[in-house]
């Protein structure tokens, strides 16, 4: 049996780092990502969006097609290279030379 808790578009996350998480920052959540829904000061709890479509910094030379799996690399950019952190999937074609990708997270 399951009991409904909430819609699930956002989750609460503690900022355990020494730096403020800024609105719009990509936040690693284990093997997934979320997007900060507000500034979160160190030691505070804030909202992280885990559903939605976002424009995210991407490896400029990579080409993406709708449906490609998007990964977050160590530089904080979207890439097609398999890694530990799945960002989501591409929802708009991206030609080489474009510095951003449109990614559906969640």
């Amino acid at each position: 049996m399951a009991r409904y808790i909430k819609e699930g578009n956002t989750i609460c996350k503690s900022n355990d780092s020494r730096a403020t998480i800024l609105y719009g920052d990509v936040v690693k959540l284990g093997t997934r990502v979320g997007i900060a829904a507000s500034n979160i000061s160190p030691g505070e709890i804030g909202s992280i969006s885990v559903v939605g479509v976002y424009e995210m910094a991407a490896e400029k030379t990579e080409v993406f097609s709708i449906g490609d799996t998007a990964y977050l690399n160590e530089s904080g950019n979207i890439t097609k290279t398999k890694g530990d952190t799945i960002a989501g999937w591409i929802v708009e074609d991206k030609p080489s030379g474009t510095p951003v990708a449109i990614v559906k997270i969640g």
Side-chain angles (χ1 to χ4, degrees):
M1 180 175 135
R3 182 174 61 91
Y4 180 82
I5 302 295
K6 65 180 186 172
E7 194 170 280
N9 292 328
T10 61
I11 62 170
C12 294
K13 167 100 172 72
S14 176
N15 180 357
D16 298 325
S17 73
R18 295 177 189 229
T20 298
I21 297 171
L22 300 175
Y23 169 80
D25 279 354
V26 179
V27 179
K28 286 186 179 184
L29 303 168
T31 60
R32 305 277 178 186
V33 301
I35 308 297
S38 63
N39 292 346
I40 308 170
S41 298
E44 299 293 323
I45 296 174
S47 291
I48 304 292
S49 296
V50 292
V51 176
V53 176
Y54 294 87
E55 179 181 272
M56 301 169 78
E59 291 298 325
K60 193 173 181 180
T61 58
E62 289 195 37
V63 174
F64 293 95
S65 297
I66 293 173
D68 287 346
T69 300
Y71 298 91
L72 186 71
N73 66 18
E74 292 300 317
S75 300
N77 292 329
I78 296 300
T79 181
K80 289 170 77 171
T81 304
K82 268 190 171 178
D84 293 335
T85 308
I86 299 168
W89 58 282
I90 301 297
V91 295
E92 191 174 295
D93 291 342
K94 176 200 161 310
S96 179
T98 305
V100 296
I102 308 302
V103 180
K104 166 79 168 88
I105 67 169

